Amino acid sequence: MGRQYKTITEVFDFGPHISKVILHVGRSLKGAKLTENQFRVSVKRTAMSGEDFAWPVFMGEKPYDSMKGTRRITDLYVSDAEGCCVEDGEYITLCMYCDPREGLGSIIRFDGNFNVTVNTAYKIVQLAPIETGADTLEGLVFDENGGNRFIYGELLQTAVHEDPEVPLAYCYYRPEEADAHKVPLLIWLHGAGEGGKEPLIAATGNKVVNLISPEIQKLFGGAYLLAPQAPTMWMDDGSGEYTKDGSSMYVEPLERLIADFVKEHEDIDTKRIYLGGDSNGGFMTMKMLIRNPGRYAAAFPVCEALDDSAITDKDIANIAQKPVWFTHSKDDPVVIPDKCVVPTYKRLIAAGGKNIHFTFWDHITDQTGQYFNEDGTPYTYIGHWAWIPMLNNQCTLDFDGQPVICGGKQAAVIDWIAQQRLEEQM
């Protein structure tokens, strides 16, 4: 009979991956001499329904051995049950290599329509003896799943807004600071891949949970996060197909969800409601901003997909004085910037927009210093993934290549968002 292991999931720039495996040895490991070659970590990932998924062509090259295989250990140490390093504990924590080109560590999988949660089964086999201060350990096998800790994901709550037209599920975070004073609300609208029936994926499929990290929360003095989920995609015009004219069946249901959420949470500062999202969600950010510009203190659309031809001159005039910060990449092959964001940005500026910004990346590259292309340059993501630098608060330059100035100082995108207030726009 095998022993128990637990896992820790962390949301990286490329999605949620199991970053640590905690092994319960059940005896003191003080003085244990540990090396990476003492264990082999095998994993099998399966769809909830049991079948494998076809890898869609538009997702690019298929990650290596994405459904089953062996994972690489980068470090290991004696720990407590939570994976914290200690001198004398009964657990060994294995740190696992995670990479945007390897799907093996991920807890979700694209099923041809959406990212969905997969079952993960690990088997950790001891390959070499472990000398401790007291004795020698040999032949240990860990294959009993003791559960998973989801960093930041565990702080999210889920609910359903029972709209008479289209019920919408959502996840949200309430900060502790709301107990003492009113706090702002950050609304994130997901991309097409995060639609479906698992509301947590709306905030964890990409690194949206960075918005509830201590560093970002400090900028706002605590902030709610609301991440609604579309059952299909925000760009669904009602036919189940992508909109051709910029219409969406979700505009009014989403408007009601947001209004009711704010009404139900009286500790939200209605002068500081911020709206953003990526791709399909960037499309919906623009739709909702146009629908009710008076609600939002600022908007931050990322690789937004609302065709400029679907935005009227009246729409432009109505939102030109709203603070908006666009993010996109010039090499985006999915949402062509010259059809969407570029002409819209220029029209807003021409209409007198004074607080309109646009970070226009040449490419989306890894900024962690951990991943590299074959030529040694930083790993290059598909150009559509402009949400990576935005969610990491790494957008600092405007369309002209100059730093954005806010309050007399250079500001990154989330710093800028935190400083916007409705009363200053009246």
Side-chain angles (χ1 to χ4, degrees):
M1 181 178 178
R3 296 169 180 263
Q4 187 180 87
Y5 68 87
K6 295 182 180 180
T7 56
I8 294 179
T9 295
E10 179 180 353
V11 182
F12 294 86
D13 289 340
F14 42 89
H17 284 233
I18 290 174
S19 58
K20 292 182 179 179
V21 179
I22 304 171
L23 311 177
H24 187 201
V25 177
R27 59 204 288 185
S28 172
L29 293 165
K30 187 175 183 179
K33 299 177 181 178
L34 301 174
T35 60
E36 286 87 347
N37 62 4
Q38 289 169 333
F39 293 97
R40 180 178 66 242
V41 180
S42 302
V43 60
K44 182 177 182 181
R45 304 164 67 233
T46 55
M48 290 296 189
S49 57
E51 71 273 8
D52 196 0
F53 302 131
W55 185 256
V57 174
F58 77 86
M59 293 287 285
E61 185 179 355
K62 182 178 179 179
Y64 173 71
D65 203 11
S66 60
M67 294 307 281
K68 62 180 179 179
T70 303
R71 297 195 63 192
R72 176 152 61 96
I73 301 169
T74 60
D75 192 14
L76 71 169
Y77 53 86
V78 176
S79 75
D80 62 16
E82 302 303 314
C84 299
C85 184
V86 295
E87 182 179 349
D88 185 8
E90 296 185 351
Y91 298 81
I92 297 173
T93 291
L94 309 178
C95 300
M96 310 309 303
Y97 181 67
C98 300
D99 190 291
R101 293 154 291 196
E102 293 182 11
L104 192 57
S106 181
I107 65 166
I108 62 174
R109 185 71 155 81
F110 193 79
D111 71 352
N113 293 303
F114 310 114
N115 285 303
V116 297
T117 302
V118 294
N119 293 310
T120 58
Y122 277 74
K123 184 175 183 179
I124 302 91
V125 177
Q126 183 184 2
L127 302 177
I130 298 174
E131 302 291 340
T132 72
D135 55 13
T136 301
L137 300 176
E138 294 185 275
L140 301 179
V141 176
F142 303 82
D143 58 8
E144 181 184 340
N145 191 336
N148 176 63
R149 180 191 169 198
F150 201 161
I151 297 177
Y152 295 136
E154 62 196 5
L155 302 178
L156 299 171
Q157 303 180 60
T158 61
V160 177
H161 184 256
E162 296 293 353
D163 189 85
E165 188 177 352
V166 183
L168 292 175
Y170 60 94
C171 65
Y172 71 98
Y173 167 76
R174 181 183 184 273
E176 292 182 358
E177 290 85 348
D179 291 335
H181 55 79
K182 289 194 173 187
V183 296
L185 168 64
L186 290 161
I187 302 170
W188 179 266
L189 304 178
H190 62 77
E194 288 70 54
K197 299 179 180 179
E198 295 184 70
L200 280 180
I201 287 180
T204 60
N206 297 321
K207 202 178 178 181
V208 182
V209 288
N210 197 46
L211 298 176
I212 65 174
S213 67
E215 296 79 11
I216 299 301
Q217 286 286 302
K218 185 177 180 180
L219 297 175
F220 292 91
Y224 271 91
L225 172 65
L226 170 63
Q229 186 182 46
T232 56
M233 62 278 188
W234 299 120
M235 295 178 72
D236 187 344
D237 60 7
S239 67
E241 301 294 331
Y242 279 88
T243 178
K244 302 289 194 300
D245 61 2
S247 60
S248 170
M249 66 181 287
Y250 293 114
V251 170
E252 296 308 318
L254 182 56
E255 173 70 18
R256 290 188 287 268
L257 184 160
I258 294 170
D260 286 349
F261 187 85
V262 173
K263 183 178 179 180
E264 292 165 6
H265 297 85
E266 297 180 353
D267 44 19
I268 290 175
D269 181 355
T270 56
K271 299 295 185 183
R272 302 181 69 196
I273 299 177
Y274 310 110
L275 177 69
D278 63 321
S279 192
N280 243 254
F283 161 95
M284 204 60 174
T285 297
M286 296 300 295
K287 293 291 292 184
M288 301 309 292
L289 181 64
I290 291 168
R291 166 67 176 77
N292 190 356
R295 184 189 299 283
Y296 306 105
F300 48 104
V302 183
C303 51
E304 66 94 352
L306 179 59
D307 197 294
D308 182 68
S309 64
I311 304 176
T312 68
D313 289 340
K314 182 179 179 181
D315 294 335
I316 292 291
N318 286 341
I319 66 172
Q321 300 309 314
K322 301 300 299 184
V324 181
W325 190 316
F326 296 96
T327 305
H328 214 117
S329 182
K330 297 173 185 176
D331 62 348
D332 187 336
V334 179
V335 178
I336 308 304
D338 285 339
K339 293 186 62 179
C340 301
V341 62
V342 172
T344 299
Y345 167 78
K346 291 180 177 179
R347 290 170 69 194
L348 288 169
I349 296 296
K354 302 299 184 185
N355 199 1
I356 309 293
H357 306 287
F358 181 9
T359 299
F360 203 17
W361 297 90
D362 290 327
H363 311 285
I364 304 301
T365 56
D366 172 65
Q367 297 188 40
T368 68
Q370 297 183 61
Y371 312 110
F372 300 91
N373 298 318
E374 291 184 0
D375 62 2
T377 57
Y379 175 71
T380 305
Y381 289 93
I382 181 175
H384 188 50
W385 289 25
W387 53 83
I388 292 177
M390 186 270 136
L391 291 170
N392 283 313
N393 201 25
Q394 293 165 337
C395 299
T396 60
L397 302 182
D398 217 331
F399 190 65
D400 60 1
Q402 298 300 307
V404 172
I405 305 298
C406 184
K409 298 187 296 185
Q410 295 184 15
V413 58
I414 301 179
D415 305 89
W416 172 87
I417 294 168
Q419 295 184 55
Q420 309 306 311
R421 288 166 173 77
L422 274 181
E423 62 264 22
E424 298 172 0
Q425 303 166 26
M426 298 177 178

